[in-house]
């Protein structure tokens, strides 16, 4: 398993993940802006020459947000999402942040289990936050 920092040449890889796995995928224009913004980190996981997953993290004042974590269907339940989260946590520590935050669909039980196993604590719930399908957002925080 290898995790690399994404670059502009990885645009199509990230866009492919977005279009396959998110109900509201980021546009290529937004991905390009994010890749160019030093307040964001995008990492890609590769395994055996295949793109296994990706994650995006954003830095805001004194905290890092987990904006996206995605693992391809064929690579799930192999610890890849946990490795991607760990990369974000390393980056947050280098930025001298002591918290990470994220939101997740309440019905995404696999992601909720991952975040709770990784030390994230449920802080609040936003009712009817998501559409397509409708769902609540759970807000988690982790102290680093």
């Amino acid at each position: 398993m290898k995790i690399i920092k994404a670059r502009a040449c990885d645009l199509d890889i990230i866009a492919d993940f977005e279009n396959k796995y998110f109900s509201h995928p980021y546009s290529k224009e937004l991905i390009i802006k994010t890749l160019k913004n030093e307040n964001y980190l995008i990492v890609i996981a590769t395994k055996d020459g295949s793109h296994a997953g990706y994650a995006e993290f954003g830095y805001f004042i004194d905290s890092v947000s987990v904006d996206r974590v995605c693992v391809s269907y064929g690579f799930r339940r192999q610890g890849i999402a946990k490795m991607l989260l760990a990369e974000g946590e390393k980056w947050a520590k280098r930025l001298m942040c002591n918290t990470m935050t994220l939101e997740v669909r309440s019905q995404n039980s696999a992601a909720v289990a991952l975040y709770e196993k990784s030390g994230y604590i449920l802080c609040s719930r936003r009712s009817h936050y998501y559409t397509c399908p409708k769902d609540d957002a759970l807000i988690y925080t982790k102290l680093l």
Side-chain angles (χ1 to χ4, degrees):
M1 174 61 56
K2 189 171 164 183
I3 297 180
I4 58 166
K5 182 178 178 181
R7 301 168 306 180
C9 62
D10 298 316
L11 172 63
D12 288 336
I13 296 165
I14 298 164
D16 188 50
F17 275 107
E18 284 291 322
N19 291 317
K20 282 183 183 174
Y21 298 105
F22 293 99
S23 58
H24 296 289
Y26 290 165
S27 67
K28 283 189 173 184
E29 292 79 16
L30 180 59
I31 296 167
I32 290 167
K33 285 181 184 177
T34 304
L35 285 166
K36 291 179 180 179
N37 189 328
E38 65 185 29
N39 289 324
Y40 287 88
L41 171 68
I42 298 178
V43 291
I44 298 172
T46 61
K47 186 173 182 182
D48 302 327
S50 296
H51 301 108
Y54 105 96
E56 176 189 310
F57 306 93
Y59 169 65
F60 302 97
I61 303 171
D62 62 351
S63 181
V64 166
S65 64
V66 180
D67 297 336
R68 295 287 213 217
V69 175
C70 179
V71 176
S72 295
Y73 291 124
F75 292 97
R76 293 187 178 175
R77 305 194 60 79
Q78 296 179 33
I80 295 168
K82 195 166 188 162
M83 287 184 229
L84 290 166
L85 283 175
E87 286 298 312
E89 291 172 12
K90 287 182 208 172
W91 185 60
K93 288 176 183 176
R94 284 195 302 270
L95 294 170
M96 299 179 22
C97 295
N98 33 359
T99 60
M100 290 187 68
T101 61
L102 62 89
E103 63 187 41
V104 62
R105 289 178 177 272
S106 67
Q107 295 175 12
N108 188 343
S109 58
V112 167
L114 165 72
Y115 298 136
E116 290 179 352
K117 281 183 193 175
S118 298
Y120 288 81
I121 306 295
L122 179 63
C123 295
S124 65
R125 180 184 204 106
R126 292 183 182 139
S127 296
H128 313 293
Y129 181 77
Y130 291 106
T131 58
C132 298
K134 292 181 181 181
D135 196 1
D136 295 348
L138 302 177
I139 312 303
Y140 281 85
T141 299
K142 180 177 182 174
L143 297 177
L144 301 175

